[in-house]
Amino acid sequence: MLNCLWNHGELTPKQIGELLVLEASSTSGILDLMQKNDLINRSIHPDNRRAILVTTTKKADELHQPVEKFVKDMNHHFMANLSDDEKDLLSKALIHIIQINKPEKPFH
């Protein structure tokens, strides 16, 4: 969820759920835990008082670079023993998975 917010900026819980292909109840539960751990803020959408906007906190933003480095290091570690053909096949499969789960409408 942090990655969604880091990449898209403020989003509604519904948008986050669509991006991550999660049920509303799962999205809400995870956001509750993240808010409890000071990783997100929720605020009323200025254009729609019935909608909530989710944004990252300073604490979450400070995690952005370390998390990105960790993910890059882990990807390198797990891909190191794959052949070029295997890397290509894995990459294509992951891109396909992302494309078939992509929301129909962009958020911004």
Side-chain angles (χ1 to χ4, degrees):
M1 286 190 181
L2 285 176
N3 196 45
C4 286
L5 294 166
W6 289 330
N7 288 316
H8 296 279
E10 58 186 20
L11 295 169
T12 65
K14 181 179 178 182
Q15 291 170 325
I16 294 169
E18 288 172 356
L19 281 168
L20 297 176
V21 192
L22 292 173
E23 296 292 327
S25 60
S26 297
T27 301
S28 180
I30 294 168
L31 289 174
D32 287 345
L33 288 171
M34 292 174 72
Q35 187 169 19
K36 187 184 256 187
N37 287 293
D38 192 33
L39 296 171
I40 60 144
N41 289 314
R42 290 173 170 150
S43 60
I44 296 172
H45 194 297
D47 299 330
N48 180 356
R49 294 187 51 84
R50 293 178 291 164
I52 301 294
L53 286 176
V54 180
T55 56
T56 57
T57 62
K58 182 179 179 185
K59 180 179 177 181
D61 292 339
E62 289 171 351
L63 294 172
H64 191 177
Q65 293 304 318
V67 166
E68 293 234 339
K69 182 184 181 326
F70 178 78
V71 169
K72 183 179 178 184
D73 291 348
M74 287 294 97
N75 285 342
H76 178 74
H77 173 76
F78 289 110
M79 301 276 280
N81 294 322
L82 297 179
S83 70
D84 288 343
D85 287 342
E86 291 168 327
K87 289 176 188 176
D88 186 52
L89 182 62
L90 177 60
S91 177
K92 286 177 181 174
L94 292 172
I95 288 168
H96 179 71
I97 290 168
I98 291 166
Q99 292 300 319
I100 62 174
N101 288 302
K102 195 178 226 180
E104 293 180 26
K105 297 184 264 181
F107 301 127
H108 295 297

